[in-house]
Amino acid sequence: MMDWLELERACLSCQKCALADTRHNVVFGVGARDAEVMFIGEGPGENEDLQGEPFVGRAGKLLDDMLELIDLDRTKNVYIANIVKCRPPQNRDPLNTEQDACIGYLRNQVALIRPKIIVCLGRIAAMRLIKPDFKISKEHGQWFEKAGVHMTAILHPAAILRDPRRRPETFEDLKKLQAKIREVCTHTY
Ligand code: URA
C-alpha cells in the first residue's frame, strides 16, 4: 500500500490505460483525508477533466446541495472520488478494462481513509463496489455491509438532473444516510 504522497504521484503520472492519452488532468479526489464518509462516482466528465476535481459541473453543484442538506461539505467532512480517475471520451461509461486498471488506486484511497460509510453515486459505482448485479432503480437507499464498511448507493446527480421526478426518492435516501451517520460515525457531525 502507498502513502498519500506516493499514491497521488503514481496517479498523476499513470499510463495504465488509454484514457491517459486523452485526459487533461487526472482527477485524484477531493475532501477530508480523515473523513468517515466517502462518495464515489463513476468517472470525470468534461469540467472535472479540465479542472482536476471531481463533481465540479452542473451535477457537482447538485451533489454539493445534496450534501449540504444533511450537513456534509466536501471541504470539511467527506471525501469524494471516482471509479476511474481519467475522463472517458464523450462521457461514455468507463470500460471494464479501464475500471480494472484504475480500481487499485481507489482501493488504496479507501485503505488510507478507512471510512465507516461508502456512498456509491449511480449504477456504475454500485455495480463495481457493492455487487455486479446491483439494480440502481430498485436497490438505491438499501444498506449493505462489506468488510465492516456500511455501503449504499443513491441516484447519480446527473440522473436526477435528467429526470427531476426522482428527487423525492433521493431525499429519502439522504435522510437514511444522515441517520446511519449518526449511528456509526464519531466525528462527522
Ligand atoms: N460524474 C461522475 O461520476 N464523477 C464526476 O467526478 C463528475 C461527474
Side-chain angles (χ1 to χ4, degrees):
M1 170 166 131
M2 290 182 266
D3 66 20
W4 279 110
L5 203 63
E6 273 182 294
L7 179 61
E8 187 158 14
R9 274 173 33 145
C11 286
L12 294 187
S13 62
C14 184
Q15 298 282 349
K16 284 184 199 276
C17 82
L19 298 183
D21 303 336
T22 49
R23 74 177 177 228
H24 293 95
N25 287 288
V26 173
V27 178
F28 181 68
V30 69
R33 290 176 173 185
D34 68 345
E36 296 175 298
V37 186
M38 282 184 82
F39 287 82
I40 301 180
E42 60 183 74
E46 182 178 27
N47 297 288
E48 292 77 18
D49 174 61
L50 293 174
Q51 296 183 46
E53 181 171 332
F55 288 98
V56 291
R58 204 156 87 86
K61 171 73 177 98
L62 177 55
L63 177 60
D64 283 336
D65 291 346
M66 289 159 56
L67 295 177
E68 188 179 297
L69 202 64
I70 53 170
D71 305 306
L72 299 176
D73 181 329
R74 71 166 71 199
T75 70
K76 294 191 166 70
N77 55 2
V78 301
Y79 193 87
I80 305 173
N82 282 301
I83 298 288
V84 300
K85 294 188 169 6
C86 297
R87 182 192 182 199
Q90 292 119 230
N91 301 340
R92 61 162 172 74
D93 292 348
L95 304 175
N96 252 309
T97 52
E98 293 159 352
Q99 297 185 32
D100 292 343
C102 205
I103 196 82
Y105 297 131
L106 178 64
R107 299 235 175 258
N108 199 331
Q109 287 172 303
V110 172
L112 289 167
I113 294 172
R114 297 194 297 124
K116 300 284 205 322
I117 295 174
I118 293 179
V119 182
C120 299
L121 297 169
R123 159 185 170 270
I124 299 280
M127 289 179 66
R128 189 72 201 203
L129 298 177
I130 300 177
K131 53 178 185 170
D133 61 344
F134 195 90
K135 298 287 184 286
I136 188 72
S137 289
K138 174 175 149 223
E139 295 181 293
H140 69 84
Q142 296 184 24
W143 288 90
F144 300 81
E145 202 174 324
K146 273 182 96 169
V149 182
H150 301 277
M151 318 251 323
T152 192
I154 62 175
L155 299 181
H156 195 289
I160 301 171
L161 289 175
R162 284 193 297 273
D163 184 0
R165 291 169 304 183
R166 304 183 82 178
R167 276 177 97 103
E169 46 193 310
T170 300
F171 182 80
E172 290 307 309
D173 293 347
L174 290 169
K175 295 316 252 186
K176 283 192 268 182
L177 170 59
Q178 185 174 48
K180 183 68 77 177
I181 293 171
R182 292 199 170 112
E183 181 186 325
V184 305
C185 294
T186 60
H187 60 264
T188 295
Y189 291 143

